[in-house]
Amino acid sequence: PNFHEQIQNTFTPVKYEFDFSSSSSVNVDSNLYLISRDGSTVYAYDKNSGLKKLNNPTTTKSYFKSSIFSYGGSIYRLGGYGYFHHKSQLFMFDFVNRKWIFINQILEDNYGFINPHTVIVDNKVHIISRNKVNNFNNKRLKSKYIYTVNLDDYNIAPYKFGYTEYAPFIFNNPFSLNNYFKVKNGIGFINNQNNRKAIIFDLKKQTSSLVELE
């Protein structure tokens, strides 16, 4: 917390025209950060002084709909879309040099995720994305895997997942604010046709279970 407080106090607050509705928010320790809609610019938020811009990126409009998350005191960015390309790269924000640092590429060259969703369990991030795309010919492919990345050593390990089997719970309105919820070791999805039914995925054990909501 002291480190992040020092970083925030380095900058003078400035008034911004900022669209909160389309930005991503993430907590690091007790600090709140906002990331611009295109995934490029990081802002620190202080309830007394407002927003503080932490970087002036050279690459903008390239990471729309990327998944933003935090782990171990750092902010990460996964995937995104821009300039007719879908991405699968993982970046970490460097608070000292105030820029995004490339960490690893999840998919093979020229392939990207479509609207990836990330879930942290222990020291691993699980990447859920039903579709990936070949940027060369713009061909969409159904994914058969959930990809996990160890955030301590950045090793990648995919495991098979039956996306179509769970379509009524997840993919009619994928990853909206209304149909998913966090659980201890994974994520739960509410059925789009019957909101009293849900399915919970234990990503640690790689199992699923149907539940009735009260």
Side-chain angles (χ1 to χ4, degrees), residues 47-105:
K47 64 181 179 180
N48 296 315
S49 56
L51 293 179
K52 299 176 183 180
K53 187 178 181 181
L54 300 189
N55 65 322
N56 292 297
T58 56
T59 302
T60 60
K61 300 181 180 180
S62 292
Y63 299 97
F64 291 98
K65 295 186 178 180
S66 56
S67 186
I68 305 294
F69 61 92
S70 66
Y71 173 79
S74 298
I75 299 172
Y76 289 88
R77 180 182 70 200
L78 186 283
Y81 175 80
Y83 299 106
F84 309 103
H85 277 75
H86 292 268
K87 318 295 194 309
S88 73
Q89 292 95 343
L90 179 67
F91 287 83
M92 181 177 68
F93 187 73
D94 182 342
F95 281 98
V96 176
N97 296 305
R98 306 197 300 275
K99 63 180 182 179
W100 291 100
I101 304 296
F102 173 75
I103 299 297
N104 208 342
Q105 180 167 301

Side-chain angles (χ1 to χ4, degrees), residues 104-197:
N104 208 342
Q105 180 167 301
I106 313 306
L107 300 177
E108 59 267 39
D109 288 342
N110 211 42
Y111 284 84
F113 293 113
I114 297 179
N115 299 334
H117 188 77
T118 52
V119 182
I120 303 290
V121 179
D122 295 333
N123 64 334
K124 294 181 179 179
V125 58
H126 297 249
I127 304 162
I128 303 171
S129 180
R130 187 183 188 185
N131 297 296
K132 61 182 181 178
V133 63
N134 184 330
N135 289 304
F136 180 74
N137 57 20
N138 202 34
K139 184 177 180 180
R140 293 193 176 200
L141 303 170
K142 300 293 186 184
S143 179
K144 297 179 181 179
Y145 300 95
I146 285 179
Y147 293 83
T148 67
V149 182
N150 186 312
L151 295 172
D152 293 331
D153 58 22
Y154 302 118
N155 284 329
I156 302 167
Y159 63 88
K160 285 191 175 182
F161 182 76
Y163 282 102
T164 55
E165 181 180 353
Y166 305 113
F169 291 88
I170 307 176
F171 298 110
N172 292 347
N173 188 19
F175 310 128
S176 75
L177 293 177
N178 298 320
N179 78 331
Y180 80 91
F181 53 94
K182 297 293 180 68
V183 294
K184 182 179 180 181
N185 288 320
I187 190 168
F189 291 94
I190 299 172
N191 187 300
N192 286 282
Q193 285 80 43
N194 182 346
N195 62 15
R196 292 195 62 185
K197 292 184 177 181

Side-chain angles (χ1 to χ4, degrees), residues 20-35:
F20 286 90
S21 66
S22 62
S23 65
S24 299
S25 62
V26 64
N27 287 89
V28 179
D29 299 318
S30 60
N31 302 290
L32 175 64
Y33 297 89
L34 297 171
I35 291 81

